Amino acid sequence: MMYWDEETTEESFIVPEDVIDLQFRISCPTLPVDHAWALAQAIEQHLPWFMQEPRAGLHLIHGAESGNGWERPEDQDALLHLSKRTPLILRLPAELAEAAGKLVGSTLDIAGHPMEIQGIRQKPLAMTRFLYARYIAADPDLAEERFIAWAVDELKRMGLRFKKILCGKSHILESPDGPIHTRSLMVAELSYEDAVTLQEQGLGPHRALGCGLFLPQKSF
């Protein structure tokens, strides 16, 4: 299901650094496929403010992609095997970067899988016109066209300008409060300014569990 608007606008923009992605170098051979809740709780053990901070988000870890000849397991009880280059990434207001840096040197326990936090670097948000979110928390009773209509309304309510939206896969994240139903979403032909705004603000709830966070998508 797709929303499509043919008008296009080109504009230049310098990415601000009010919100950043904080990348941590880690040593963590394996993680459960569904690690959202366990990882968020492990982070909160060291950063007590993390799950209460509405501007803080967690990028879930995905490991190898199918394009490299390996399919991500669909079984939620399966394990991800991480390379040494796989980072842990938090999306945070820049003023919280120093506080989050306290994770360095710690070892997180993610459902029995140790993750050593070994280093840190800051990365600005992407300057792009195409964004993708793997997980947008959604009412499981919404059909695709109603989900698209909801997303269009929410983005317009935020004052964002965009031309195309594409709804993708459904997914479930487990939590103590019950399953969180999600859909993937691509938003294309944003202005650079609005693409940064969408990365900063996200869409929908459960940022600390990896939902609502947008990443650059190279092609639509």
Side-chain angles (χ1 to χ4, degrees):
M1 185 63 58
M2 177 179 277
Y3 166 89
W4 195 291
D5 180 345
E6 284 293 346
E7 279 187 37
T8 58
T9 305
E10 295 289 340
E11 60 182 278
S12 301
F13 187 68
I14 297 174
V15 177
E17 297 193 15
D18 301 321
V19 175
I20 58 168
D21 279 339
L22 203 58
Q23 295 190 342
F24 296 89
R25 183 165 47 87
I26 62 173
S27 176
C28 183
T30 58
L31 278 180
V33 168
D34 188 352
H35 56 266
W37 181 260
L39 180 51
Q41 288 286 291
I43 292 170
E44 190 176 43
Q45 292 296 314
H46 296 269
L47 306 177
W49 47 266
F50 178 70
M51 294 188 73
Q52 284 71 48
E53 170 53 63
R55 301 170 297 168
L58 166 66
H59 291 283
L60 298 184
I61 296 173
H62 280 256
E65 298 291 345
S66 58
N68 296 325
W70 180 83
E71 289 284 349
R72 178 181 173 83
E74 292 295 330
D75 183 353
Q76 299 292 71
D77 295 325
L79 293 180
L80 295 175
H81 295 267
L82 308 184
S83 76
K84 293 182 179 179
R85 293 179 296 177
T86 301
L88 167 67
I89 306 175
L90 303 183
R91 181 160 291 174
L92 297 170
E95 66 263 25
L96 293 178
E98 183 176 354
K102 295 176 182 178
L103 282 176
V104 176
S106 65
T107 298
L108 309 184
D109 180 1
I110 300 110
H113 299 262
M115 176 186 288
E116 297 178 12
I117 311 296
Q118 299 176 332
I120 189 173
R121 75 183 183 99
Q122 294 187 20
K123 183 179 178 182
L125 300 179
M127 186 171 177
T128 180
R129 299 178 64 234
F130 300 83
L131 291 174
Y132 176 72
R134 289 189 175 98
Y135 310 105
I136 301 290
D139 184 337
D141 295 327
L142 282 183
E144 276 194 19
E145 62 271 17
R146 291 184 62 199
F147 173 74
I148 287 285
W150 169 82
V152 168
D153 287 346
E154 287 295 303
L155 294 173
K156 287 185 174 180
R157 184 181 59 79
M158 293 163 65
L160 304 184
R161 297 156 288 173
F162 55 94
K163 305 304 173 187
K164 302 168 190 173
I165 286 183
L166 180 65
C167 173
K169 291 182 178 180
S170 298
H171 192 80
I172 293 176
L173 302 174
E174 297 296 340
S175 80
D177 297 325
I180 299 170
H181 295 264
T182 73
R183 289 183 183 270
S184 63
L185 188 72
M186 191 180 297
V187 183
E189 296 189 26
L190 293 140
S191 69
Y192 290 132
E193 181 177 3
D194 287 349
V196 169
T197 298
L198 184 52
Q199 290 174 84
E200 290 177 339
Q201 296 188 16
L203 183 64
H206 303 303
R207 297 285 191 286
L209 299 179
C211 296
L213 300 179
F214 284 85
L215 297 165
Q217 177 73 20
K218 293 182 180 179
S219 61
F220 188 77

